[in-house]
Amino acid sequence: MAEPRFKKAMETKYAKEWGTNKCGSTAKSKITDKKTKYLRLGYTQNPRKVEMTKCGAAITKKRGLQAYDPKLHLAGIPMGQRQLTPYTISGTDIVCDGDDLHFVNNAAMQQEWDDIRRTCIVGLDLAHETLEKRLGKEVTPETINYYLEVLNHAMPGAAIVQEHMVETHPALVDDCYVKVFTGDETLQDEIDKQFVINIDNEFPAEQAKQIKAGIGKTSWQAVHIPTIVTRTEDGPGTSRWMAMQVGMTFISAYHMCAGEAAVGELAFTAKHAGLVEMSDMIPARRARGPNEPGGLSFGHMADIVQTSRKTPDDPVNVALQTASAASMLYDQIWLGGYMSGGVGFTMYATPAYTNDILDDYVYWGADYAQKKYGKFGSAKATIETVKDIGTEVTLYGIEAYEKYPTTLEDHFGGSQRATVLAIAAGASTAMATGHSNAGLSAWYLSMYLHKEAWGRLGFYGYDLQDQCGATNVFSLGSDEGAIGEVRGANYPNYAMNVGHQGGYTTVVSAAHAGKKDAFCVNPLVKSCFADDLVNFDFADPRGAFGKAALREWDRCAGERAFVIPAK
Amino acid sequence: MAYKPQYYPGNTSVAKNRRKHMSDDLEKLRDIADEDLTAILGHRAPGSDYPSTHPPLSEMGEPDDPIREIVEPTPGAAAGDRVRYVQYADSMYNAPATPYFRSYHAAINFRGVDPGTLSGRQVNEMRERDLEEYTKRQSETEITDWGLAGMRGCTVHGHSLRLQEDGVMFDMLDRRRLEGGNIVMDKDQVGVPIDRKVNLGKPISEAEAAKRTSIYRVDNISFRSDKEVVEHVQRVWELRTRYGFQPKA
């Protein structure tokens, strides 16, 4: 076995001092050791826990009511009976504490979700037809530029047609804006550059060609309402906020009557006919409207991540960055927050973006597939291909966990290992075949092999979807047999199980990354986020998580500090 | 020819051990007193009566029902015992048992059992006196090595962690430890101190663990080397996949 990609991260975690955990001295181990010394040093070995303890004590004193105190853990047995060790953000040299990866403690993670929830796409063409055909108004690049100028004043919450209106303060909503994108090169050139997401500039030439072919001559607005609004409201509020400001802007920019019937048509276009939301409404029993994570398809999530246009020649990196952004959102925020509540779900997502173990397995699997089947996307999507790649990659990963006990200890739960192995098997197969369902098929084979090798898999939920999943991969049932791109967090059997949805997104991403596709399922979504002005760095989610863990990430929005007393 | 159950494929020692676990063909390795097991289970004080949730079935005047006539209640159900649990954690470093094979052992060989299978632990819920009988079987036989396994109701973790220097699986709550060559336990399965030190016997050696284990490992019997099991898994996967693809459905 060549030197694994996780070697440095494992040595940082288990063979070097972090805080006062004595990993570099008293409990020093090689990363291949099967035994170690457990020092039971408690929480004081870790600087972040000490900081949190002091803060908790101060809060308790200030408010006269019990707050955080780690000595209350397990009736006085605090965490830290084994060594509290750090995490390396995969693909980087950033090392941080696990606590700094809880989404509450990580501003970038919050902003990732804020930026998706506050975004919608709305077509311009239907509105222009209404203006031209019904009202006889002239629509030209000049009028569009003026409209966009007004709209970027109005969208954050400013008035445009009426006296006596209160307005939002620009300092609180400076993250809000609207840009346009189109496959029409002439129109693209005629719109003021400040308003344009220029597809030719943002994508490699071949990808730009695919995007423009997908969009055609249509033109679209990428709308990001203020973070502070979406944090106060909810996902469905995004299109409402957008549509009100779009409607008022049409009235102002095109000098319409505020009450004329055509305004209703413009409103209908913005709210329904021309609207693309990031996610769909899900059934009432889960009680979430559009633009909430439960309705976010894996294809849309994979398209929101932008690594594919930045490192198209490194498809594994594309898949891994997608794994990171998607696992964080689906596991930590959707299932861990919205659906379950609590603390533990962070640990389901961290293997996707820490300590380079997943990276090692996926790079190995991609290499295996490429050597055996040639160019990515060229292998036939057959039972034999899936069986071969799925088996070999899973066995490689299982044996790596066995040869490096520290990796087994880092991925201390079977659910973590199951997802990591299945991602590796699924993504490698998807890259080889260019077929997301072939990747999903390898995912389930990986789960079966894993369970039989070790007599264990994940928690109870893995028995549900991972034992029955193979049967629905190629089912002809209209919903359960859907292609991976249009499956999502609310897909049958996927809806309640943590540790999977980010992985499935990775498989979908890999199917296209291998072929250097410009997008997975929706060129509009891909284009909408191809914009550096979006706060979260969707081209490098891991880097953003890492910087935020170090408290160095400064692109967060939605803060109230401007209107509250300074401390 | 008498029927001989064939529970599991494979020709390696790991596959054979899996078959032994499933068929309850287990070697007894130690004696543990009933009262000691009751103490570490922690559900009732040793020697006390079984708490009940309903009167004995014979006193309940149940309606006529052919199923009731066919299925004889377990002793615990007949007496109206509570449903209680026992949960084990098994190390991935060659502990004899794995969670699924503990579940299979319970479900195949005992009645009235509700097994739950996770990666780091395996829980069985049963009527209390039935549970004690089952626990005795698991605790005294080769399916459990108390150095590489633990009875843990909560704070179970240890299965995937490196072993302690003395070869014992880590336990955050330090419920049991190696003392004088034997594993002793002085807390119940949820970590509440008990009034005794229960001797759980001598842990097996590393070499013995490698022979008795039901987990495949690359440094012992690798999963890849048991071709029959790998091919069996692939076949199950392929059949389930093809079954799902039914244009006629």
Side-chain angles (χ1 to χ4, degrees), chain A residues 34-36 38 40 387 391 399 402 405 409 412 414 417 448 452 455-457 463 467 471 475-476, chain B residues 8 18 90 93 100 119 157 159-160 162-163 171-172 206 216 218-219 224 234 237-238 240 244 247:
Chain A
K34 291 181 198 167
K35 292 180 182 174
T36 190
Y38 290 99
R40 298 185 184 273
K387 192 187 292 182
T391 300
E399 291 174 1
E402 291 165 349
E409 186 164 320
F412 57 87
R417 300 187 293 267
Y448 291 1
E452 291 307 317
R456 45 170 51 87
L457 193 64
D463 289 349
Q467 301 306 307
T471 311
S475 163
L476 292 192
Chain B
Y8 201 79
R18 289 182 174 193
D90 293 287
Y93 293 99
Y100 269 104
S119 63
H157 215 69
H159 80 278
S160 59
R162 290 165 292 174
L163 299 173
D171 178 6
M172 180 186 180
E206 285 186 30
Y216 290 99
V218 72
D219 51 9
R224 168 189 309 273
Q234 291 172 328
W237 163 80
E238 182 173 340
R240 287 187 192 176

Side-chain angles (χ1 to χ4, degrees), chain A residues 46 62 73 87 118 136 145 205 207 214 289 316 386 391 452 541 547:
Chain A
N46 182 270
K62 182 181 176 188
H73 183 261
Y87 292 78
R118 71 192 182 95
N145 279 328
Q207 290 189 0
V316 175
V386 175
T391 300
E452 291 307 317
K547 283 179 199 157

Side-chain angles (χ1 to χ4, degrees), chain B residues 23 36 40 50-51 54 77 119 139 159 170 173 188 208 211 213 236:
Chain B
S23 56
D36 283 349
I40 60 175
Y50 289 102
H54 59 77
S119 63
S139 298
H159 80 278
F170 173 79
L173 299 185
D188 70 14
E208 191 69 12
K211 284 183 198 163
T213 190
V236 168

